[in-house]
Amino acid sequence: MSDKSILLIIGGGIAAYKSLELTRELGRSGVRTRCILTNGGKEFVTPLTVSALTGEKVFSELFDLDDEADMGHIQLSRSTDLVVVCPATADLMAKATAGLANDLASTTLLATDKPVLMVPAMNVRMWEHPATQRNIRQLRLDGVEVMEPDVGDMACGEFGPGRLPEVSRIKDEILDHLARPEDGPLSGKTAIVTAGPTREALDPVRYISNHSSGKQGYAIATALARLGADVTLVSGPTAIPQPSGMNFVQIETAVEMLDAVKKGLPSDIFVSVAAVADWRPAEPSDIKIKAKTTKDGLGALSLVENPDILKTISHLKGKRPKLVVGFAAETNDVENHAQGKLERKGCDWIVANDVSGDVMGGSENEIALVKRDGIERLPRMDKAAVAQNLAKRIAESFES
Ligand code: CTP
């Protein structure tokens, strides 16, 4: 990352102190960080601290003759790979939405021709206010990437969404941006990835689902995007924040998932990581089924089969993606079952994983890549590393 630089706008919020840690983390990764400190930001961190940590001059005033002589604000907004606003206050986001340019930070955001990443942090009520949510929607429509804040205790004593995400998550997001190659090996290719569980309603409050966390699918979508692919992630309900840099489609049921995947076609690559519920209640009740009904003998739950998304996409005529990859979550006899699945589903590769331990929800995975011409076994590794290995092999398959 030694040739990469970011312009960090530090807004006036209590989370401003965490942006200091962020500059250090980025420095360790070799990223050059130049900072703009807003007047509000100066109430929380000093220009001297920021300058000492970044080893760079700190910019603050729009009409400062010294600053302008040193580097004009237009040049400042463009001589960077990425503009990051952290913390992005409600005020800064409102200004950027409206296109105001009455201080250095807002002028820079209006003048830049570089991608912009905003990392909001504010009180939960301010975050949930319709004005803030409206501004965020507009910013996203304008092409600005806005990270989802964390949920938790706030400095002001309240609880809810609005906390600055962990510094490590912000750093990873920034590095992802800087690493995203316009001319990566999968540039020009499209990929659809399904992830997470599906939820099949029994009644308005109950459903059938499974333990899938979505981590592996999200990691694969991110790894493919990093190699330049134009990715659509179709996800069931998970606790993972919406990843940036890709199209994201939120669904609940298997039927909705199949529909979303079909809408995403044509695609060069399809990776089916989702733990799709094989069955759904035949007749979900419109009203809550009463407990008493159950005691009186609800009888057997009547289920109907869900569509097999992987199989359907593998057998599509005309629109079948060039490479279709399925997953086989097994608790025993993993590779044998995976080989059977390869044939049954009609896909090109099966990633076999042993889910007998703490894989579902855990951060590691041990996989074997099952193809028609052989099996490649990979050692146990982090789910992100599994994803990178798989994405690399997918990219290689398009080279040959
Ligand atoms: N899959 C799918 N649609 C379904 C069921 C599974 O697309 N209705 C996909 C999964 O995303 C995965 C692969 O099929 O890529 C295998 O899923 P798995 O749950 O292991 O297999 P099943 O087909 O459900 O078979 P079994 O439960 O008998 O192991």
Side-chain angles (χ1 to χ4, degrees), residues 68-365:
E68 276 299 299
D70 206 41
M71 181 181 274
H73 61 272
I74 302 290
Q75 196 192 340
L76 182 65
S77 73
R78 295 185 186 169
S79 57
T80 181
D81 294 300
L82 174 72
V83 179
V84 180
V85 188
C86 177
T89 59
D91 179 64
L92 264 171
M93 290 197 292
K95 275 185 179 166
T97 308
L100 288 182
N102 58 1
D103 58 17
L104 184 59
S106 53
T107 305
T108 303
L109 287 169
L110 201 59
T112 190
D113 60 354
K114 295 296 186 294
V116 177
L117 170 69
M118 295 219 178
V119 194
M122 67 196 71
N123 165 272
V124 56
R125 303 262 172 269
M126 293 171 75
W127 170 257
E128 285 173 346
H129 195 285
T132 306
Q133 291 303 316
R134 193 168 56 236
N135 290 339
I136 290 170
R137 274 196 302 279
Q138 187 57 51
L139 285 169
R140 285 182 172 145
L141 285 174
D142 292 346
V144 172
E145 201 170 309
V146 184
M147 279 183 81
E148 287 295 317
D150 276 358
V151 178
D153 289 321
M154 312 228 144
C156 52
E158 291 189 73
F159 181 90
R163 277 168 59 97
L164 194 82
E166 289 297 323
V167 169
S168 59
R169 187 151 83 81
I170 306 171
K171 184 195 78 173
D172 287 349
E173 192 71 34
I174 292 172
L175 295 185
D176 269 4
H177 256 281
L178 298 178
R180 205 172 293 151
E182 266 85 58
D183 54 355
L186 286 176
S187 157
K189 299 274 182 293
T190 48
I192 302 173
V193 179
T194 64
T198 64
R199 249 182 212 176
E200 314 294 337
L202 276 158
D203 68 14
V205 295
R206 304 183 183 89
Y207 56 81
I208 297 175
S209 193
N210 58 67
H211 287 301
S212 168
S213 67
K215 280 182 192 164
Q216 188 63 82
Y218 278 52
I220 289 169
T222 303
L224 291 169
R226 259 193 222 174
L227 296 187
D230 179 358
V231 177
T232 299
L233 174 60
V234 180
S235 174
T238 71
I240 312 177
Q242 183 178 326
S244 53
M246 65 186 74
N247 313 309
F248 184 79
V249 186
Q250 178 79 62
I251 55 86
E252 277 220 347
T253 66
V255 171
E256 287 168 4
M257 184 172 268
L258 176 60
D259 196 40
V261 171
K262 280 185 170 167
K263 281 201 178 107
L265 294 172
S267 177
D268 297 296
I269 302 155
F270 176 55
V271 189
S272 180
V273 198
V276 185
D278 295 316
W279 304 88
R280 67 177 183 276
E283 283 171 31
S285 170
D286 289 340
I287 53 169
K288 189 181 167 199
I289 302 167
K290 301 307 287 177
K292 198 165 176 307
T293 323
T294 316
K295 281 192 205 116
D296 285 354
L298 180 64
L301 204 55
S302 168
L303 300 170
V304 289
E305 208 167 339
N306 261 332
D308 188 320
I309 301 167
L310 178 61
K311 197 169 173 181
T312 308
I313 301 300
S314 295
H315 288 93
L316 277 181
K317 298 269 178 308
K319 274 190 175 173
R320 184 194 194 274
K322 287 182 201 79
L323 182 66
V324 179
V325 183
F327 267 66
E330 308 290 350
T331 52
N332 58 299
D333 209 3
V334 179
E335 288 174 15
N336 266 340
H337 280 307
Q339 265 166 331
K341 251 172 216 175
L342 187 70
E343 294 314 322
R344 247 191 2 262
K345 306 264 182 177
C347 53
D348 303 301
W349 302 352
I350 281 275
V351 179
N353 67 333
D354 187 342
V355 291
S356 56
D358 59 355
V359 161
M360 284 201 139
S363 60
E364 291 192 330
N365 212 350

Side-chain angles (χ1 to χ4, degrees), residues 335-336 338-339 352 367-377:
E335 288 174 15
N336 266 340
Q339 265 166 331
I367 62 158
L369 190 53
V370 182
K371 299 181 186 171
R372 293 216 157 63
D373 57 1
I375 298 182
E376 183 189 358
R377 295 174 187 86

